Amino acid sequence: MKLKGLYIYFIFISLFGYSQNPTSYVGGYISINVVGTPKCVGTSIYDIKIVLDTHKDSLPTYSIKISTGDGVVDTAFKIDSFMIGNQVMRSVYSLTHIYPGCGTYEITYTDTINKINTTNFPFPKSFFISTTFSITPFVSAYSSPVFYDRHLMSSKNGDSIYYNVSVIDAGYDSLLYSFSDTAIIPNNMLINKYSGEIRWEGVTNNSRNYIYVLVDKYKDGIKISASLKSFSIY
């Protein structure tokens, strides 16, 4: 009887999953790159990369669900993972998606935040990253910025932190930086909208703070993409 119970339990967790140590997010972002040329008449193919930084003890996830912004929920599969220091694992997920033509599309990934002590998140606590891009007859997004900073910083009360939101933009287009209202920005934290430098003088708490930075990309004065990048300070 006990063996039968164990067998049923094994079948249950195999079918429905069981998390002993849920995902603890540190940061992440989404980037896009067109395959060929964006088209208003016909279809456009985009490579989408999702970069997620998590605590090293989080359970591995080999695929994630992404809303592609055109009414489709698609699956992205892990193509790489590696440690980036401070007990943080970086995982890279990839998918190729076909878009139906002209439009503005918001690619999003969201999940519940687990096992953290945060001071700057409204309820409910959710991890959220996105990239929005446009395909138009006049100007379209061939790519979005790729972030190459490490996300994670340590702080204690009274510290002063200086941090650059470092990006590579293949199109050499104009970029503007701002804080997103996805999370509450700590007191005394400022961002330079042209350089992406963040200053936090006089740290007021040493719990984990999720910071969301919005990077708007402009070509010929027209906004063609907006990337919402997350990182942590604690």
Side-chain angles (χ1 to χ4, degrees):
M1 188 69 180
K2 288 184 178 179
L3 288 175
K4 182 178 179 182
L6 289 173
Y7 179 75
I8 293 172
Y9 179 72
F10 176 76
I11 293 294
F12 177 81
I13 64 174
S14 298
L15 291 176
F16 300 101
Y18 178 69
S19 176
Q20 293 178 320
N21 192 6
T23 303
S24 180
Y25 290 100
V26 174
Y29 68 91
I30 298 171
S31 66
I32 60 164
N33 194 58
V34 71
V35 178
T37 304
K39 301 173 184 177
C40 264
V41 179
T43 57
S44 301
I45 303 173
Y46 280 83
D47 284 332
I48 303 170
K49 295 288 191 300
I50 303 94
V51 176
L52 298 177
D53 288 352
T54 59
H55 189 271
K56 68 178 183 64
D57 291 333
S58 296
L59 286 175
T61 302
Y62 299 103
S63 65
I64 56 177
K65 293 295 184 181
I66 301 296
S67 175
T68 54
D70 57 350
V72 175
V73 176
D74 210 340
T75 302
F77 293 94
K78 185 187 290 186
I79 60 172
D80 198 6
S81 62
F82 48 90
M83 296 296 295
I84 63 170
N86 294 322
Q87 301 186 35
V88 175
M89 174 72 73
R90 174 164 293 175
S91 299
V92 182
Y93 298 82
S94 178
L95 68 100
T96 300
H97 190 74
I98 300 174
Y99 287 90
C102 272
T104 297
Y105 304 101
E106 183 184 23
I107 306 167
T108 60
Y109 171 74
T110 186
D111 195 8
T112 301
I113 294 176
N114 296 294
K115 205 181 73 171
I116 61 171
N117 175 26
T118 61
T119 59
N120 69 322
F121 253 86
F123 184 84
K125 294 181 177 180
S126 294
F127 178 79
F128 179 83
I129 51 175
S130 69
T131 284
T132 302
F133 70 99
S134 297
I135 303 172
T136 77
F138 310 106
V139 61
S140 299
Y142 280 73
S143 63
S144 64
V146 174
F147 299 89
Y148 62 92
D149 48 275
R150 290 300 191 191
H151 293 284
L152 184 67
M153 298 180 291
S154 298
S155 66
K156 60 184 179 180
N157 287 344
D159 280 354
S160 292
I161 289 177
Y162 303 92
Y163 177 79
N164 281 311
V165 181
S166 304
V167 302
I168 298 175
D169 181 51
Y172 300 100
D173 296 312
S174 299
L175 303 177
L176 290 179
Y177 304 82
S178 62
F179 288 130
S180 166
D181 59 4
T182 303
I184 301 167
I185 301 303
N187 291 332
N188 305 324
M189 183 178 286
L190 302 172
I191 186 168
N192 186 306
K193 68 177 181 179
Y194 300 110
S195 68
E197 182 188 53
I198 293 174
R199 295 188 177 194
W200 190 10
E201 297 183 353
V203 173
T204 54
N205 68 74
N206 55 5
S207 298
R208 180 177 295 187
N209 291 272
Y210 278 90
I211 309 301
Y212 281 85
V213 174
L214 188 64
V215 182
D216 293 326
K217 175 173 173 172
Y218 291 82
K219 190 175 187 67
D220 299 330
I222 300 172
K223 187 164 76 171
I224 56 175
S225 76
S227 299
L228 183 65
K229 172 249 178 70
S230 168
F231 66 91
S232 296
I233 304 175
Y234 65 86

